[in-house]
Amino acid sequence: MKLERIDRLTHLSLKSGLFPYQLDVSVFLADGLLIDAGSGNTEKKIAQWLKNEKLSGLAITHVHEDHTGAAWWVQRHFAVPVYIHKKSIAEANLPSDVPLYRRLVWGNRKAFHPDPIPDFIETENYRFDIYDAPGHHPYHIVLQEKNMGWIFTGDLYVGRKQFVAFKDENISDAIDSLKKILQLDFDTVFCSHSGIQKNGKEKIKAKLQFFEDIRGQVVNLRRKGLAPEEIAKIVFPNWNLWTVVSKGEWSALNIINTI
Ligand SMILES: [Zn+2]
């Protein structure tokens, strides 16, 4: 568990799960607005930290269980508004029921009862503009704090490269969303897994370039008449642990198919 502070923002970074099924998760408390709520497996640590903080609301980038873990607790303990994309409200109202490997890493989350996220959220000192940014998930949003040059990207960025995609992902949509957010003013990316990324615009550009290179290769191979499975083997020749562990929920084929 690591805390880092910039201006009126606190970044809490945690490990979720047990080795070797362990991944980083980040949540941000920006002038009273909590952005994302970690995983079910980190819920108790998040609650311990938040007990001493003042909260005015919770904004969730998307409904996956590693962004919504402490949402029910926040709602019960603080009685503040909890926001998510309107098309994910029905899913949030039910507890998650994820496969074993995801339970080991992230854990299930309890049901919570969010409101549709508005176009912007104002805190005492900040204003967050909300933009749709599908790709990683169809109902994924990003938040921009223009004056600070900040953008909160949920799982749209995660890293410069990506070798497997989750079953909810659509890489063509992700390419469009990356292009769209590059039109906004920002220099720091706040990622829900890789944390605070300085030179954020360069990093988002690098990710877009990576996807566009992959798309170029896929289109070429498809023109030659290759099937998606054959294309996946050529473009991503390396064996991937997550594809095996997740029984195909994460795969290179998901990247190829959605291009
Ligand atoms: Zn996600």
Side-chain angles (χ1 to χ4, degrees):
M1 184 163 151
K2 212 180 90 191
L3 283 170
E4 165 183 24
R5 199 161 166 92
I6 304 178
D7 198 62
R8 292 181 173 86
L9 175 141
T10 307
H11 167 211
L12 175 69
S13 162
L14 300 145
K15 299 269 183 214
S16 184
L18 292 171
F19 183 82
Y21 305 110
Q22 193 176 51
L23 289 168
D24 292 318
V25 56
S26 279
V27 302
F28 305 99
L29 181 59
D31 196 29
L33 179 69
L34 183 66
I35 299 172
D36 276 346
S39 64
N41 289 344
T42 58
E43 175 213 301
K44 286 198 171 71
K45 283 182 180 161
I46 293 173
Q48 195 61 36
W49 163 61
L50 284 178
K51 264 178 195 162
N52 307 314
E53 301 287 340
K54 251 177 76 183
L55 235 71
S56 58
L58 164 61
I60 294 169
T61 59
H62 65 293
V63 74
H64 283 156
E65 73 276 11
D66 48 329
H67 299 257
T68 48
W72 75 275
W73 182 87
V74 166
Q75 196 155 43
R76 204 178 65 176
H77 189 84
F78 290 100
V80 293
V82 174
Y83 297 119
I84 201 163
H85 191 289
K86 64 175 184 295
K87 293 207 168 154
S88 286
I89 291 174
E91 186 175 339
N93 282 334
L94 298 169
S96 71
D97 181 16
V98 298
L100 177 67
Y101 81 97
R102 281 162 67 186
R103 286 210 300 277
L104 292 173
V105 180
W106 306 122
N108 269 316
R109 60 150 176 82
K110 293 187 178 142
F112 63 103
H113 306 288
D115 293 316
I117 197 155
D119 294 338
F120 65 90
I121 297 171
E122 276 176 328
T123 61
E124 227 174 290
N125 300 282
Y126 296 154
R127 175 192 160 104
F128 298 90
D129 289 298
I130 318 293
Y131 297 92
D132 281 328
H136 171 78
H137 185 279
Y139 310 125
H140 187 295
I141 59 96
V142 298
L143 303 94
Q144 179 204 25
E145 212 297 331
K146 201 171 167 182
N147 289 329
M148 296 302 292
W150 293 349
I151 191 154
F152 298 81
T153 52
D155 283 356
L156 185 63
Y157 171 70
V158 184
R160 283 165 188 261
K161 294 184 178 177
Q162 183 175 335
F163 304 104
V164 287
F166 189 54
K167 62 178 177 60
D168 294 346
E169 279 186 77
N170 183 310
I171 302 304
S172 299
D173 288 349
I175 288 172
D176 291 344
S177 291
L178 291 167
K179 280 185 184 162
K180 179 171 134 181
I181 69 166
L182 280 170
Q183 305 299 314
L184 303 175
D185 279 337
F186 67 92
D187 53 38
T188 309
V189 163
F190 294 76
C191 169
S192 298
H193 297 291
S194 65
I196 300 175
Q197 300 287 335
K198 301 242 163 74
N199 299 320
K201 218 152 207 176
E202 293 314 306
K203 286 177 183 166
I204 297 286
K205 276 184 196 162
K207 176 122 201 195
L208 175 61
Q209 189 62 53
F210 177 80
F211 278 154
E212 287 195 318
D213 289 347
I214 299 286
R215 178 155 72 178
Q217 292 180 56
V218 172
V219 168
N220 263 331
L221 292 165
R222 189 65 177 161
R223 282 204 185 112
K224 288 181 184 161
L226 273 74
E229 291 77 9
E230 296 171 296
I231 297 172
K233 277 186 192 142
I234 295 168
V235 179
F236 299 104
N238 294 331
W239 181 82
N240 192 287
L241 174 69
W242 275 103
T243 304
V244 181
V245 169
S246 71
K247 296 187 176 140
E249 273 200 347
W250 292 85
S251 73
L253 189 59
N254 292 345
I255 297 183
I256 309 300
N257 279 334
T258 58
I259 287 173

